[in-house]
Amino acid sequence: MANAQATDKHPGELADVPGWFPPLDQVLFTWFLDRQEQQGTGGDLLELGAYMGKSAILLGHHLRGGEKLTVCDLFESDAPDGPNQAETTKSYASLTRQAFERNYLSFHDTLPTVIQAPSSVIAKEVGPGTCRFVHIDASHLYEHVYGDIGAAREILLPEGVVVLDDFRSEHTPGVSVAAWEAVLNRGLRPICLSTQKLYGTWGDPEPVQEELLTMLRQHTDCGLSVQWAAGHRLVRTRSKGMQPPPFPRSRHYVPPASAPQTPPASRPRTARPARPRSHARRLAVDLLPPVVTRAIRRARTSRA
C-alpha cells in the first residue's frame, strides 16, 4: 500500500481528500445506501478505520433524520499491540484526528460520533442490531479483522450490508483469510466483489444481487462476471474507466479561474491592387493625335 500524503488544505471536492476510495466503490456505496433509503431501511452507519475521511464523508451524506454515523480510528493514538503499531507507523504516520475532522467539516455541518480507540472497543460503543451499513477498513492483521467481522455481525441489522476493504491485496493476507473464513464458517454471504472490497450480508443476498446485476449491466464502464464457489454466487466487478458519482462540493470549493480570452489577431493590411483603366478611358487616349499621345506618355514617364 502506498502512503497517501496528508494535506493541510481544506478540500474543495471529495477527490481532494487523501485516501484509497476508487470510483467503482464510490458508485457501489452510493447504490447500496440509496437502495436502503428507497426501501425504507432505517439504521445507523459505522466505519472502522477512517484515515482522512474520504469514505466517511460519503457515508455522512446518506444520513437521514434520527440516524447517526459512528467512526472508530486510532488516529495518532498508540496501537494496542506491537504488530498493529508497526502497521500504523508504516502506513498511517501522517494521520491525525484534526486532519480527519477538518476534511469532514468541509462537507458537513457537524462531526460524526468519533471514537479514538482500537476497533476492538466498538461492540461496547455501538448497540447490537442498530446499523444498516458497516465499512471495515481498520487494521489489516488477521486477529483484528476477525474481531471486527464478529462485531459487525452483532451490530448489523438482519439485512444490513458489511464491506470489507483490502480483502484480496497481496500486502493484506490477514484480511483475505478472515474474510473468506467468515464466508465459509461464519455465515457471511457475499453480495459482490470489487477490485478492492467485498460486500456481504448475513441476510439473503439474492434480492439485492438481482437488482445490482440489473444496474451494473447498464454500465459500459464496468466489467462484470458471475461465478459460483462453495455454494455462493460471486458477482465480480471491475472498473473500465468508471467515473465517481456526482457528489456535492465542499464549502471551501473555489472554481478554477477561467483562462483569459485572447483577442483575434488582426489581419495585415495588403496594398490595394492598381485599378485597371476603364475601357472608355483607354478609348479616349487612343483617339488623341499621335503627337499628344507621345507627350502624355513622356509626362507619365518623367513623374515615375
Side-chain angles (χ1 to χ4, degrees):
M1 178 186 298
N3 270 335
Q5 297 301 312
T7 174
D8 57 359
K9 296 181 180 179
H10 292 284
E13 300 180 281
L14 190 61
D16 297 331
V17 180
W20 306 272
F21 194 26
L24 172 58
D25 288 299
Q26 293 182 41
V27 169
L28 291 172
F29 268 52
T30 300
W31 185 85
F32 278 105
L33 293 162
D34 283 346
R35 179 181 183 272
Q36 289 179 334
E37 181 175 358
Q38 292 162 6
Q39 294 199 332
T41 303
D44 295 333
L45 310 178
L46 171 64
E47 181 164 78
L48 303 180
Y51 193 57
M52 295 290 178
K54 197 164 191 172
S55 53
I57 290 167
L58 187 148
L59 290 175
H61 183 64
H62 289 270
L63 286 175
R64 291 168 292 166
E67 296 179 341
K68 72 174 182 178
L69 167 63
T70 299
V71 170
C72 181
D73 199 294
L74 282 171
F75 295 110
E76 62 266 43
S77 298
D78 291 333
D81 54 63
N84 195 185
Q85 185 63 47
E87 177 188 25
T88 299
T89 301
K90 178 181 179 181
S91 298
Y92 309 109
S94 59
L95 175 59
T96 65
R97 180 169 175 171
Q98 180 183 19
F100 166 82
E101 293 182 350
R102 179 192 63 238
N103 292 335
Y104 192 91
L105 289 175
S106 294
F107 294 86
H108 300 288
D109 295 332
T110 58
L111 287 169
T113 299
V114 179
I115 301 171
Q116 186 169 344
S119 59
S120 56
V121 309
I122 201 63
K124 299 177 182 178
E125 300 289 340
V126 179
T130 58
C131 289
R132 58 186 170 98
F133 193 96
V134 174
H135 180 212
I136 299 178
D137 188 15
S139 170
H140 297 95
L141 303 176
Y142 168 78
E143 295 81 4
H144 298 287
V145 182
Y146 182 94
D148 292 344
I149 293 173
R153 182 175 188 176
E154 297 300 318
I155 289 169
L156 274 173
L157 291 161
E159 299 298 326
V161 175
V162 63
V163 185
L164 305 178
D165 184 66
D166 276 334
F167 80 101
R168 54 171 287 177
S169 301
E170 72 280 356
H171 63 280
T172 57
V175 182
S176 301
V177 174
W180 291 116
E181 180 185 44
V183 171
L184 295 174
N185 300 326
R186 303 175 75 186
L188 180 62
R189 306 184 70 181
I191 299 173
C192 71
L193 314 174
S194 70
T195 305
Q196 190 163 315
K197 301 180 188 290
L198 184 154
Y199 297 73
T201 181
W202 277 277
D204 182 4
E206 186 173 352
V208 63
Q209 277 186 330
E210 290 300 324
E211 294 180 35
L212 180 63
L213 284 167
T214 298
M215 183 275 288
L216 291 173
R217 285 170 179 148
Q218 297 172 1
H219 275 267
T220 59
D221 54 2
C222 177
L224 177 64
S225 66
V226 178
Q227 297 182 7
W228 287 84
H232 295 279
R233 179 166 65 166
L234 306 178
V235 176
R236 300 174 59 238
T237 63
R238 62 182 178 85
S239 173
K240 294 170 61 178
M242 178 175 282
Q243 297 299 308
F247 194 80
R249 295 185 171 111
S250 89
R251 66 184 83 253
H252 304 290
Y253 175 76
V254 177
S258 57
Q261 297 294 324
T262 304
S266 57
R267 297 177 60 184
R269 300 185 65 179
T270 57
R272 179 181 295 178
R275 181 186 300 174
R277 291 186 301 165
S278 66
H279 176 73
R281 189 177 178 184
R282 290 197 305 270
L283 184 60
V285 172
D286 293 341
L287 293 175
L288 292 174
V291 175
V292 177
T293 302
R294 287 195 294 270
I296 291 174
R297 290 174 178 168
R298 283 197 297 270
R300 288 176 177 171
T301 304
S302 62
R303 286 199 302 268

